[in-house]
């Protein structure tokens, strides 16, 4: 019979292995940004192609988050976590070996789908491993810290790998991590699987995917296809239709993926909006600044990753100090301060131009990182406290989904504005240059 210390030690080891899988998934949220110019050169992608490379992953990730919990209840949390981790690892191999951009995009979609189950199932397993509230709080704190470390370290790890090996290495790094975690968890993780016979909201899931995907397509392709083109207008119309139908279906469905009473909860809506707008700004900045650092300022991927520490490092610091701040001044005040800091950082980046140094973009990126942390964490706390305890899982999934949707639209809209400016400003800028017609 195992002693209490042996049980505690075993749970701690399992927690570290689970967090290893979480680290791998979160790492892919930021590590790919640093590789954008290198992948662009390999496959001849334009700005729209780079947008899709990022957004197609987040789109798959976001759209399946709310259904992942139901799948875990149906098939077992341990089984789904290990299967998803294995699938994410194999998807990384597909991306690393991709001979063309279509295969790379397919691999990214699979990564997003499998990754969407890894995150909620990891939290579910922690809940089982740590039934006591105090121990569970410490475990969740470690889980959040590992996720923050992955987000912060993504750009610098990616830069070092790309400069020394090549862009394919940002996907290969997942393989040994994934294999190790899958083998250990399959052999050593002992949890009692409790399955519940739930129904999956297939219609709601399809309507949500179509609505968000059509809107993403319109935002990304609008500049190249023409905002008034039939294709783009039709995409906007499809998006509105699907999202309206999704809203109506969730109200009539007896097993909705997003409980309809959430739509009547003003606190829930405002908290989700804070998360959506925070990630909208942050991921738009990460996309544009990656291109700025490497394409305009001619920095290497490693140098780019170091510059991004101003943003990602501030997020880590902000995540650490935010609970202490909102416990003293309240969640509403903390959210307002965070929102103003984020807005101030975004305004500060308006002064950045070709050749601008760290003094010009460092402090705005720090402000954005701190602001997103100050606004996001208390918004999530308020959201969870506004719903009954038995609905906390669904509310958490919805909050995460809105964050990811914000990042999708941030990348899509920032890239479209960039393309529009290129099409309208670049020809005029070259008009008086001493170039031949061919040039």
């Amino acid at each position: 019979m195992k002693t209490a210390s042996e049980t505690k030690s075993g749970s701690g080891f399992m927690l570290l292995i689970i967090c290893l899988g979480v680290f791998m998934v979160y790492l892919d949220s930021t590590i790919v940004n640093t590789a954008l110019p290198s992948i662009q050169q390999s496959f001849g992608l334009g700005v729209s192609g780079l947008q899709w490379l990022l957004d197609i992953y987040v789109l798959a990730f976001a759209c399946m988050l709310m259904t992942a919990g139901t799948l875990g209840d149906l098939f077992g949390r341990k089984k789904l976590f290990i299967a998803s981790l294995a699938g994410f690892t194999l998807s990384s191999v597909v991306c690393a070996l991709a001979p063309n951009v279509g295969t790379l995009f397919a691999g990214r979609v699979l990564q997003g789908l499998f990754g969407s189950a890894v995150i909620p199932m990891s939290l579910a397993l922690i809940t089982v491993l740590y039934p006591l509230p105090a121990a569970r709080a410490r475990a969740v704190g470690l889980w959040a810290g590992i996720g923050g470390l992955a987000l912060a370290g993504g750009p610098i790890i990616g830069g070092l790998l790309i400069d020394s090996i090549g862009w394919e290495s940002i996907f290969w790094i997942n393989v040994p991590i994934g294999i190790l975690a899958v083998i250990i968890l399959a052999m050593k993780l002992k949890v009692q699987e409790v399955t519940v016979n739930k129904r999956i909201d297939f219609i709601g899931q399809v309507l949500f995917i179509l609505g968000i995907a059509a809107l993403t397509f319109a935002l990304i392709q609008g500049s190249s296809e023409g905002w008034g083109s039939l294709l783009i207008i039709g995409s906007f119309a499809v998006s509105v239709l699907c999202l309206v139908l999704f809203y109506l279906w969730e109200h009539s469905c007896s097993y909705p993926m997003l409980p309809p009473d959430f739509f009547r909860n003003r606190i829930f809506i405002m908290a989700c909006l804070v998360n959506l707008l925070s990630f909208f700004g942050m991921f738009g900045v990460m996309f544009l600044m990656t291109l700025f650092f490497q394409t305009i300022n001619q920095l290497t991927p490693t140098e780019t990753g170091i510059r991004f520490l101003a943003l990602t490092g501030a997020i880590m610091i902000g995540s650490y100090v935010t609970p202490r701040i909102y416990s003293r001044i309240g969640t509403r005040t903390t959210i307002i301060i965070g929102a103003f800091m984020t807005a101030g950082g975004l305004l500060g980046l308006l002064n950045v131009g070709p050749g601008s140094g760290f003094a010009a973009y460092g402090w705005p990126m720090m402000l954005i990182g701190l602001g997103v942390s100050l606004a996001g964490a208390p918004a999530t706390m308020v959201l969870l406290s506004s719903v009954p305890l038995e609905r906390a899982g669904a509310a958490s999934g919805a909050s995460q989904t809105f964050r990811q949707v914000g990042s999708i639209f941030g990348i899509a809209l920032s890239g479209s504005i960039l393309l529009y400016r290129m099409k309208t400003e670049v020809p005029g800028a070259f008009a008086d240059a001493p170039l031949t017609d061919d040039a």
Side-chain angles (χ1 to χ4, degrees):
M1 185 174 180
K2 290 185 178 180
T3 64
S5 61
E6 287 175 328
T7 302
K8 183 178 179 181
S9 174
S11 297
F13 180 65
M14 287 298 101
L15 174 63
L16 288 176
I17 301 302
I18 289 170
C19 287
L20 198 62
V22 172
F23 179 88
M24 182 173 69
V25 173
Y26 273 127
L27 189 70
D28 264 56
S29 297
T30 56
I31 196 172
V32 177
N33 280 274
T34 318
L36 290 178
S38 300
I39 294 174
Q40 184 179 34
Q41 292 177 5
S42 293
F43 295 110
L45 295 174
V47 173
S48 295
L50 296 179
Q51 289 172 273
W52 278 117
L53 181 64
L54 297 177
D55 267 353
I56 205 166
Y57 170 80
V58 187
L59 185 65
F61 189 96
C63 289
M64 290 300 295
L65 266 175
M66 288 186 286
T67 299
T70 303
L71 293 174
D73 291 336
L74 278 171
F75 302 110
R77 295 161 181 176
K78 174 186 173 181
K79 291 178 183 176
L80 184 60
F81 183 77
I82 293 175
S84 299
L85 211 55
F88 190 90
T89 304
L90 290 173
S91 304
S92 299
V93 175
V94 172
C95 292
L97 295 175
N100 52 58
V101 70
T103 306
L104 179 60
F105 282 2
R108 291 289 284 165
V109 169
L110 291 173
Q111 278 190 316
L113 291 174
F114 287 117
S116 68
V118 169
I119 302 304
M121 288 305 101
S122 64
L123 273 176
L125 288 173
I126 288 173
T127 302
V128 176
L129 286 172
Y130 294 89
L132 298 178
R136 183 186 301 169
R138 290 192 294 270
V140 171
L142 177 63
W143 176 90
I146 293 293
L149 182 64
L151 291 172
I156 185 66
I157 294 172
L160 291 169
L161 287 172
I162 295 161
D163 280 336
S164 58
I165 303 174
W167 66 261
E168 296 88 351
S169 59
I170 66 171
F171 298 110
W172 283 121
I173 192 177
N174 294 332
V175 178
I177 296 175
I179 292 174
L180 179 67
V182 166
I183 291 174
I184 292 176
L185 291 173
M187 295 176 62
K188 299 293 185 180
L189 181 60
K190 307 297 182 184
V191 294
Q192 185 176 358
E193 290 281 35
V194 178
T195 58
V196 181
N197 189 24
K198 286 186 176 181
R199 296 179 66 182
I200 298 175
D201 182 10
F202 286 110
I203 295 178
Q205 182 68 78
V206 170
L207 288 172
F208 186 74
I209 291 173
L210 289 176
I212 299 299
L215 184 54
T216 304
F217 178 86
L219 291 174
I220 290 179
Q221 300 298 135
S223 289
S224 56
E225 299 289 341
W227 293 103
S229 68
L230 185 62
L231 179 62
I232 299 304
I233 293 175
S235 296
F236 278 123
V238 169
S239 175
V240 171
L241 176 63
C242 288
L243 292 177
V244 169
L245 289 174
F246 170 74
Y247 176 83
L248 296 174
W249 171 258
E250 295 302 283
H251 277 73
S252 62
C253 181
S254 58
Y255 45 93
M257 62 182 260
L258 183 60
D261 55 313
F262 284 1
F263 294 110
R264 297 187 293 271
N265 186 333
R266 188 176 65 177
I267 295 175
F268 173 86
I269 292 173
M270 293 304 297
C272 284
L273 190 60
V274 167
N275 281 322
L276 185 148
L277 292 176
S278 296
F279 274 59
F280 174 88
M282 183 177 70
F283 275 83
V285 165
M286 292 187 71
F287 177 72
L288 292 178
M289 291 305 292
T290 298
L291 299 181
F292 170 78
F293 286 142
Q294 296 190 45
T295 306
I296 305 299
N297 277 8
Q298 296 294 300
L299 300 179
T300 66
T302 301
E303 292 169 335
T304 298
I306 292 172
R307 267 61 172 188
F308 267 122
L309 286 174
L311 174 68
T312 57
I315 292 173
M316 283 198 68
I317 294 171
S319 299
Y320 179 75
V321 302
T322 294
R324 292 168 173 79
I325 294 174
Y326 69 65
S327 64
R328 292 187 178 184
I329 65 176
T331 52
R332 178 179 295 182
T333 304
T334 308
I335 291 170
I336 292 172
I337 292 172
F340 273 104
M341 290 178 70
T342 304
L346 292 170
L347 288 173
L349 289 176
L350 293 177
N351 296 319
V352 173
S356 292
F358 187 80
Y361 52 73
W363 67 266
M365 292 173 70
M366 290 179 189
L367 270 182
I368 293 170
L370 290 172
V372 167
S373 295
L374 284 174
T380 302
M381 288 294 295
V382 169
L383 180 148
L384 292 176
S385 63
S386 71
V387 300
L389 186 60
E390 63 271 16
R391 293 287 187 87
S396 178
S399 174
Q400 289 289 332
T401 298
F402 274 91
R403 283 187 174 195
Q404 302 304 324
V405 169
S407 64
I408 291 170
F409 293 160
I411 295 167
L413 198 56
S414 62
S416 293
I417 293 172
L418 173 63
L419 275 176
Y420 174 78
R421 295 283 292 177
M422 288 171 63
K423 290 174 69 175
T424 56
E425 301 293 334
V426 171
F430 280 118
D432 298 326
L435 301 173
T436 64
D437 290 340
D438 290 342

